[in-house]
Amino acid sequence: MTKFLLSLHVLAAILAIGPVTVAASMFPQAVRRVTVAVPVGTAGGGDGAAGAAQDDMSTVRLLHRICRVYSGLGAAVPVLGFATAAAMGVLGDAWLVASITLTAAAAGILLAFVLPRQEELLEDLTGRQPVERARTARLAMFTGVFNLLWATVTVLMIVRPGSTTGA
């Protein structure tokens, strides 16, 4: 049963968290492309520019939707992780406690900083409001911290400091 739970946990992490990290990382640049393609307050530079801007806007919407949907699916990762840890009898191990803490921090950053800022930028673009580069830079910073936390959790899950399994 432990191997089955561990397999589900790893698959959930790959299939749910992976898309969020990639889409969230791509989002700030996609917003900048929309802002550059059709400057706010203009009608666009012809059908080509308007079409490119519409494609870029569709990309921004898609990236946000991926982040929102897959972050919800990502809730399965800690649930399966707790079940796996309980089955393995490692709930009190320091590496696991550290991983749980970092996972909670990553989830908090995603829910409190990344997703709300994506929504704000998307609303501004939809309403043809100006988007300052500093705002996309801050979003990129929060996204980078989120990604760094998940990378650290991944390393802890593989290395498992103090583990007696030899892995």
Side-chain angles (χ1 to χ4, degrees):
M1 184 63 154
T2 301
K3 289 181 182 180
F4 177 71
L5 287 172
L6 182 58
S7 296
L8 288 178
H9 174 62
V10 170
L11 283 171
I14 292 168
L15 297 175
I17 305 303
V20 174
T21 60
V22 172
S25 295
M26 294 172 64
F27 189 90
Q29 183 61 34
V31 169
R32 288 184 204 123
R33 272 196 314 270
V34 171
T35 304
V36 170
V38 177
V40 176
T42 66
D47 290 337
Q54 191 59 35
D55 290 346
D56 290 340
M57 191 63 191
S58 295
T59 299
V60 170
R61 285 188 184 102
L62 176 64
L63 292 171
H64 177 62
R65 193 162 110 207
I66 289 169
C67 290
R68 199 178 63 245
V69 170
Y70 281 85
S71 65
L73 297 174
V77 175
V79 170
L80 291 165
F82 275 111
T84 303
M88 293 173 69
V90 295
L91 280 173
D93 287 8
W95 64 270
L96 185 67
V97 173
S99 294
I100 291 168
T101 303
L102 294 174
T103 297
I109 287 171
L110 181 66
L111 296 174
F113 296 104
V114 175
L115 292 175
R117 280 175 172 72
Q118 284 184 352
E119 289 170 10
E120 290 170 3
L121 290 170
L122 189 56
E123 287 173 11
D124 287 350
L125 290 175
T126 302
R128 295 198 169 284
Q129 299 298 315
V131 174
E132 297 171 8
R133 184 171 176 83
R135 290 176 62 203
T136 59
R138 275 191 299 277
L139 175 58
M141 177 195 63
F142 287 124
T143 301
V145 171
F146 168 78
N147 291 343
L148 183 61
L149 288 170
W150 272 114
T152 305
V153 169
T154 301
V155 170
L156 283 172
M157 291 287 150
I158 294 168
V159 174
R160 299 180 301 164
S163 172
T164 58
T165 63

